[in-house]
Amino acid sequence: MWLYYNEINHQMIDINSIDDMPNETVGFVYKIYNQETREFYIGKKILLHKRTLPPLKGKKRRRVKHVESNWKKYMGSSDISKEWNPAVCIKTIEYFCFNKTMMSYYENKEIFENFEREGCVNHNVLGKFYKEKIDKYAKDAENKLKDY
């Protein structure tokens, strides 16, 4: 089960099916919080996958079928978050997104805002900004500023 805090009505909403989401929702940006370890993971999840099927007999055009993703039981793409016990995790939807660009933007926005916070298990942003490198650069800059 996913939770969504509606800021307009100031209420927490349980999300159990696609019907519980706004119309035309393509996916969402989420945060999974582990209550035991006090760690969290931020990511995005698409709701429907496009499957291309072979054409029917005597036809040339391939068929397209939309299949619901595994979003209900999803625990993130991180190796760390996949190992968490779902019973001790709180899964919240931060943003409902109506296109893939919006999903990528809000995911990166959330990760950049929380990347250096204690407990964040996201190790990189956009495959370019790695936590280990950022920590190293920060220490290097600190050492250089001491000499200044």
Side-chain angles (χ1 to χ4, degrees):
M1 174 179 61
W2 292 86
L3 297 172
Y4 175 72
Y5 179 71
N6 186 337
E7 293 181 9
I8 297 168
N9 299 335
H10 303 289
Q11 64 186 49
M12 193 65 77
I13 301 170
D14 293 340
I15 306 293
N16 296 308
S17 74
I18 291 178
D19 296 332
D20 296 336
M21 299 181 194
N23 291 337
E24 300 180 27
T25 300
V26 171
F28 55 86
V29 174
Y30 63 85
K31 186 184 287 186
I32 299 174
Y33 178 74
N34 186 326
Q35 294 175 310
E36 285 182 345
T37 63
R38 297 185 181 259
E39 295 175 322
F40 64 93
Y41 179 77
I42 298 168
K44 64 183 177 182
K45 187 64 181 162
I46 196 154
L47 296 174
L48 298 174
H49 293 294
K50 189 174 168 182
R51 298 284 180 241
T52 305
L53 303 173
L56 292 170
K57 188 174 181 180
K59 303 287 181 180
K60 292 184 179 182
R61 185 179 297 175
R62 284 186 260 166
R63 298 171 290 152
V64 176
K65 182 179 179 182
H66 290 85
V67 180
E68 189 171 341
S69 69
N70 64 339
W71 69 271
K72 292 178 185 176
K73 296 181 180 181
Y74 194 65
M75 287 298 292
S77 59
S78 167
D79 292 338
I80 297 169
S81 67
K82 286 179 184 177
E83 293 176 7
W84 290 343
N85 178 2
V88 298
C89 292
I90 298 172
K91 302 191 309 184
T92 60
I93 295 174
E94 302 297 314
Y95 300 97
F96 287 114
C97 301
F98 303 101
N99 57 53
K100 290 181 180 180
T101 304
M102 192 175 169
M103 284 173 54
S104 294
Y105 171 78
Y106 283 119
E107 177 194 27
N108 290 316
K109 176 183 179 284
E110 284 293 311
I111 292 173
F112 271 120
E113 288 176 356
N114 293 284
F115 197 54
E116 295 181 28
R117 284 185 53 204
E118 189 176 329
C120 182
V121 297
N122 292 75
H123 291 295
N124 74 75
V125 183
L126 297 169
K128 296 179 182 181
F129 305 102
Y130 292 88
K131 200 174 252 189
E132 296 82 22
K133 283 186 179 179
I134 289 173
D135 291 342
K136 180 186 177 293
Y137 296 151
K139 285 180 184 176
D140 290 347
E142 188 177 304
N143 290 334
K144 289 177 183 177
L145 289 172
K146 283 180 186 176
D147 298 336
Y148 180 65

